[in-house]
Amino acid sequence: MPNEYSDNDIQVLEGLEAVRKRPGMYIGTTSEKGLHHLVWEIVDNAVDEALAGFCDDIEVVIHKDNSVSVRDDGRGMPVGINAKTGLSTIETIFTVLHAGGKFGGGGYKVSGGLHGVGASVVNALSSWLEVRVYREGEVHYQRFENGGNPVAPMRVTEKCAKERTGTTVTFKADPTIFKETIEYNYETLANRLRELAFLNKGLRIMLIDERNDGKSETFCYNGGIIEYVAMLNKNKQPLHDIIYVNGEENGISIEVAMQYNDSYNSSIYSFTNNINTYEGGTHEDGVKFALTKIINSYAKKVKMLKDNDESLTGDDCREGLAMIISCKHPDPQFEGQTKTKLGNSEVRKIASDVFSEGFERYLMENPTVAKSIIEKCMTASRARLAAKKAREMTRRKGDLDVTNFFGKLADCKSKDASVSELFLVEGDSAGGSAIKGRDSMTQAILPLRGKILNVEKARLDRALSNEEIRTIITAFGTGIGEDFHLDKLRYNKIIIMTDADVDGSHIRVLLLTLFYRFFKPIVEAGHVYAAQPPLFVIKHGKTIKYVLNEEERDEYLATLSQNTKYDIARMKGLGEMNPEELNETTMDINKRVLRQITVDDAIAADDIFTKLMGEEVEPRREFIATNALFAENLDI
Ligand code: 28F
C-alpha cells in the first residue's frame, strides 16, 4: 500500500488547526479554567527564562477588553531565522506545535504547563496575538490573527534603549473557542502568580488590572517557601520559628519549609517544577515518611515516648502542621487522575534522606522546640484514640437512632446515587416547603434545625458529638475519618439551600467548613453546590421572570420594550415561599441555578476558612467586608 501521507502532511495535521479542533487536548478545557490556562502558558515561558537566570521581573496586565499582556525582562526570544522551518524563530515558536520541544537543545525546562511549547497553543486559541522582542536596541514585532495566522513576517518596528531586553506577548482569547467566558478572574490570576513568586525566591511578579482602575499587586518573596509557610499560618498561633531544609541529589532538588500551629488541621502542599501536585506523590511520601520516622525516634530517644507506648502515626505527626514541599526535577513523571501526582520512584528516597537529615539536626539543636512538637503529636495521638471510641459509639448509637434519623431526612425514592440529590435546608419551615415541592423520586431533603458546630475549632471526636453533624454523616453514607469511602456517597449532588442573608451565609460557611475539613474528597469531586434562590421577581402580563441579582434584573429590564408596564418585587426568604414557588425558583432541575463549590485553590480556600472561622476577629471582619466568595449578598 503506497504511503498516503508525507511528512509534510503530518506537519500540517499537527498545525494550529488541530489545536482549534480539539482545544481540550491541549489545555484540558475551554471553560473559565482553560481560559486562564492561556495566561499560564505564556507566564511559564517567562518563568523559564527566570529559572535560566536571565529574568527577575515579570508583569501581567489584564486590559480593559480582557486581552492580556505578559512581559519579562529576559534575553528576549531569538530573532534569527530557524534553519528547519525557514521562518523566523519567533514565527516558528508561535505557529509550529511543539516548537519548544523540538528546538530547545540542552538544559531543561522546569516550569509547568506544556514545557514551554504553549506559545503556539495560545496563539491558535486567540483572536489576535502580538509579540514584541526587545534586543540590541531594536523592537522586533509580529502580529497574528484569527487563530494564529501571521499578518506579516516579523520585522523591526522601532528602536529601544540598548539595555532593554525581554519579551512581551499580548493576546485576546477567541470567544468562539471560549464560549463560556473570556473574562479573567483577578483572584485566580493573583493566587497563582503569588504562588509562583513564593516558589521562585526573589522573582518579582506584578499583576495589573486595567479593568479596575489599574488595581495592582506585586509579589516578590526573598524568603521563598519560608514566606509561603508564614502566609499559611498568618492567622494562626505558631509553635516555633519556621524550619527550613533543603538538599540536592542527582540534579533533583528538594526544599521543605514547615511550622506547627495551634490548630488541628494540616496544610501540606507539594510542588514539582512549580506545579501544584494536588495528588501528592513520591516527594510528598518521602518527606511524610521521614517526618514520622524522625519524630518517633527522637521521642523515644529523649524518653517522652515510653517503650510500651503506641507509636505516633503519620496523622499524629501532621496535626497542626503547615508545610510546603518543593521539588525541582529534570524529567518529572506526572501521574494520577488529574496528572498532579509525582511518580518518579527515585524521588522518594532522595526526599526522605534530605528531609531526615535536616529535620533531625534541627531537633537536636533546638531541644525546646523539639519538646513542644513531640508534646503536640502525643496530644494528637490521645485525641485520635478518643475519637476512635466516639466513632464506634456513633456507629452503635446510629443503629438505635434510626427512627430519629429517618424522621429528619425525607429521603428520595431512587437508590441510584448518580441521579439523587440531597438538599441541606436552613430551618424547618423552608424544609417543610422543600419536602412538599420536591421531586420525591430524586430529591432528598434534610432540614437543619440546630446550630452546626464550627469544626475549625474542634477535633473529630467533638464534631461527632454534634447531632446535626451525625445526621449529615449518616445521610451521606460515606462514613468519616479513617472510615471514609467516597464511593459510598448516596447522592451525586449535595445542595446547600440557605437564605441570602447573614444567618444563611453563616450556616453555609459552617457547612463548607465541615465539608472542607472532613469530607474534602466530596468537594474535590465536585459534588457540593449552593442553591441560588432568586432575589427579585419581575411580572409583566402573564410572564413571570425570576432573577438572581441586581445585575440580572437590570439586564432583563433593558430587554423589555419601553412601554411595557411591569411589576418588580424582592423575593421572600426561603421559609416564606410556598412549595410551588420554592420548586419553581430554586429546586426544579430545569429552572434552578446552582453554583458548584470547588476547591480549585485549596490554599485560598484554607485561608478563607481560617479567616472566617478561626479565632482571630479582625481578619474575619476584614474578609466579610471585602469578599463575597461564600457570602454574597451579606446585608451587614
Ligand atoms: C512573555 C513571555 O516567552 N520569554 C522568553 C526567551 C528567551 C529565549 C528563548 C524565550 C531557543 C531556540 C526555542 C534567548 N536567548 N515570555 C517569554 N524568553 N525563548 S521565551 O529561546 C527559545 C528557544 O528555540 C532565549 C538565548 N536562548 C534562549
Side-chain angles (χ1 to χ4, degrees):
M1 196 169 141
N3 257 345
E4 285 190 318
Y5 295 106
S6 70
D7 282 355
N8 284 341
D9 291 320
I10 288 167
Q11 192 92 53
V12 172
L13 277 178
E14 285 180 351
L16 299 192
E17 198 46 42
V19 181
R20 292 178 65 79
K21 270 214 184 92
R22 289 192 187 77
M25 293 244 310
Y26 298 87
I27 53 162
T29 160
T30 53
S31 64
E32 187 173 327
K33 189 170 172 187
L35 176 78
H36 289 78
H37 204 102
L38 300 182
V39 180
W40 307 140
E41 291 298 341
I42 302 299
V43 166
D44 277 345
N45 292 341
V47 171
D48 278 343
E49 186 66 358
L51 287 168
F54 298 101
C55 147
D56 50 27
D57 214 324
I58 296 174
E59 188 181 275
V60 177
V61 185
I62 317 166
H63 300 293
K64 278 211 161 71
D65 63 349
N66 277 294
S67 61
V68 168
S69 289
V70 182
R71 180 184 66 72
D72 73 45
D73 66 346
R75 289 167 293 182
M77 288 177 175
V79 292
I81 298 294
N82 182 276
K84 278 187 194 156
T85 62
L87 302 168
S88 69
T89 302
I90 288 182
E91 187 167 333
T92 308
I93 288 175
F94 281 93
T95 58
V96 179
L97 212 49
H98 296 130
K102 276 182 195 161
F103 298 92
Y108 57 78
K109 298 271 184 185
V110 292
S111 75
L114 299 173
H115 304 274
V117 304
S120 58
V121 171
V122 174
N123 196 17
L125 301 177
S126 294
S127 305
W128 54 265
L129 180 146
E130 290 176 341
V131 51
R132 289 176 178 82
V133 169
Y134 301 81
R135 269 178 100 113
E136 291 162 36
E138 290 179 324
V139 185
H140 303 259
Y141 170 88
Q142 190 166 22
R143 180 178 164 98
F144 306 85
E145 284 179 4
N146 299 323
N149 299 299
V151 171
M154 180 202 85
R155 66 189 178 92
V156 173
T157 49
E158 47 188 320
K159 297 230 173 292
C160 66
K162 217 164 179 76
E163 317 76 64
R164 175 155 187 198
T165 63
T167 306
T168 303
V169 174
T170 305
F171 65 93
K172 170 117 188 233
D174 185 338
T176 67
I177 302 271
F178 298 92
K179 294 198 182 73
E180 213 170 273
T181 181
I182 60 154
E183 201 170 311
Y184 292 94
N185 181 309
Y186 181 89
E187 285 306 321
T188 304
L189 294 177
N191 287 336
R192 172 62 179 160
L193 294 175
R194 184 184 300 111
E195 184 172 278
L196 280 170
F198 277 130
L199 292 166
N200 299 282
K201 167 183 331 186
L203 177 61
R204 216 178 82 105
I205 307 180
M206 188 171 185
L207 174 62
I208 301 165
D209 190 352
E210 290 181 347
R211 304 167 307 181
N212 195 353
D213 273 349
K215 167 182 175 177
S216 77
E217 273 177 284
T218 301
F219 308 111
C220 181
Y221 306 101
N222 291 320
I225 61 170
I226 294 177
E227 292 193 57
Y228 203 155
V229 168
M231 184 193 76
L232 292 178
N233 277 342
K234 187 175 58 201
N235 302 315
K236 296 173 185 163
Q237 289 296 324
L239 247 61
H240 54 87
D241 289 342
I242 296 170
I243 304 172
Y244 176 79
V245 171
N246 70 339
E248 203 209 283
E249 205 179 304
N250 287 337
I252 299 161
S253 79
I254 301 287
E255 241 190 316
V256 182
M258 63 180 273
Q259 186 181 44
Y260 284 91
N261 59 55
D262 65 342
S263 84
Y264 306 124
N265 310 300
S266 82
S267 310
I268 300 179
Y269 302 106
S270 65
F271 299 84
T272 298
N273 297 356
N274 293 336
I275 298 164
N276 192 328
T277 35
Y278 290 101
E279 298 173 277
T282 49
H283 54 337
E284 196 172 312
D285 292 347
V287 171
K288 284 180 174 171
F289 169 81
L291 180 82
T292 310
K293 185 189 71 179
I294 297 294
I295 287 183
N296 273 289
S297 68
Y298 184 87
K300 279 185 190 138
K301 206 172 109 183
V302 298
K303 303 237 175 340
M304 289 178 77
L305 206 59
K306 307 286 183 303
D307 287 344
N308 293 335
D309 286 348
E310 224 183 278
S311 289
L312 301 165
T313 67
D315 282 335
D316 297 339
C317 297
R318 294 191 291 268
E319 193 181 277
L321 177 64
M323 178 185 256
I324 298 289
I325 304 164
S326 176
C327 170
K328 299 262 162 79
H329 197 293
D331 182 27
Q333 304 299 316
F334 292 105
E335 301 173 347
Q337 284 215 319
T338 55
K339 292 269 175 282
T340 56
K341 181 176 181 180
L342 184 66
N344 305 60
S345 57
E346 77 282 5
V347 174
R348 200 187 313 269
K349 185 168 184 323
I350 297 174
S352 165
D353 287 353
V354 165
F355 182 73
S356 290
E357 200 198 308
F359 184 51
E360 185 165 36
R361 173 150 22 92
Y362 179 90
L363 294 182
M364 300 291 193
E365 289 171 1
N366 299 273
T368 317
V369 175
K371 186 162 177 259
S372 67
I373 291 176
I374 306 291
E375 262 164 11
K376 166 129 185 125
C377 300
M378 291 180 65
T379 310
S381 167
R382 282 192 289 275
R384 174 173 53 83
L385 297 172
K388 196 169 171 186
K389 278 204 195 109
R391 219 166 41 237
E392 279 160 7
M393 269 165 57
T394 349
R395 217 177 287 147
R396 255 175 280 138
K397 213 170 162 205
D399 292 338
L400 295 175
D401 263 5
V402 102
T403 42
N404 183 17
F405 167 71
F406 283 105
K408 279 186 191 166
L409 175 77
D411 210 354
C412 54
K413 294 201 188 84
S414 172
K415 293 288 164 253
D416 177 358
S418 72
V419 296
S420 301
E421 305 180 335
L422 174 65
F423 284 81
L424 301 173
V425 186
E426 170 187 358
D428 263 341
S429 110
S433 290
I435 291 171
K436 293 200 192 90
R438 69 179 170 150
D439 169 359
S440 64
M441 196 61 206
T442 58
Q443 296 182 322
I445 311 293
L446 181 60
L448 299 171
R449 292 173 202 139
K451 259 258 181 279
I452 298 150
L453 183 77
N454 177 2
V455 296
E456 176 70 19
K457 294 180 187 162
R459 283 206 186 88
L460 187 57
D461 52 336
R462 250 194 77 213
L464 286 171
S465 67
N466 179 273
E467 174 121 12
E468 297 297 323
I469 289 182
R470 274 210 310 274
T471 312
I472 292 171
I473 299 166
T474 317
F476 281 7
T478 55
I480 190 167
E482 290 162 34
D483 297 333
F484 179 85
H485 298 287
L486 181 60
D487 55 344
K488 291 202 179 141
L489 184 63
R490 297 172 61 238
Y491 307 94
N492 183 43
K493 289 193 171 76
I494 312 286
I495 302 168
I496 302 171
M497 192 154 93
T498 54
D499 274 317
D501 60 12
V502 183
D503 279 347
S505 303
H506 191 207
I507 292 172
R508 189 159 63 242
V509 170
L510 286 169
L511 284 170
L512 289 174
T513 308
L514 171 72
F515 297 167
Y516 179 71
R517 293 296 183 205
F518 293 138
F519 300 102
K520 205 176 202 165
I522 297 183
V523 183
E524 282 169 339
H527 292 297
V528 181
Y529 296 81
Q532 308 225 83
L535 216 52
F536 298 101
V537 56
I538 304 164
K539 292 183 189 154
H540 57 97
K542 283 195 177 120
T543 315
I544 299 182
K545 172 80 181 171
Y546 296 99
V547 293
L548 283 184
N549 49 39
E550 279 86 358
E551 209 177 17
E552 268 191 24
R553 173 195 61 192
D554 298 342
E555 252 172 47
Y556 184 74
L557 292 180
T559 66
L560 300 179
S561 64
Q562 281 286 319
N563 50 6
T564 309
K565 283 189 37 90
Y566 57 84
D567 224 14
I568 187 158
R570 201 169 244 278
M571 289 295 292
K572 297 169 275 193
L574 293 171
E576 297 146 68
M577 289 194 206
N578 64 40
E580 293 72 36
E581 276 178 307
L582 200 55
N583 175 285
E584 178 94 353
T585 59
T586 320
M587 296 176 72
D588 184 335
I589 304 190
N590 299 314
K591 295 180 187 151
R592 70 187 182 195
V593 182
L594 293 182
R595 194 159 55 88
Q596 193 171 36
I597 307 291
T598 62
V599 191
D600 216 9
D601 186 343
I603 299 171
D606 188 50
D607 202 38
I608 288 162
F609 284 115
T610 307
K611 277 188 189 143
L612 278 174
M613 310 310 301
E615 300 283 351
E616 304 226 5
V617 175
E618 184 51 25
R620 178 164 60 226
R621 198 200 58 73
E622 196 179 303
F623 176 85
I624 291 176
T626 60
N627 207 312
L629 181 55
F630 294 129
E632 72 277 31
N633 303 324
L634 268 183
D635 52 5
I636 48 172

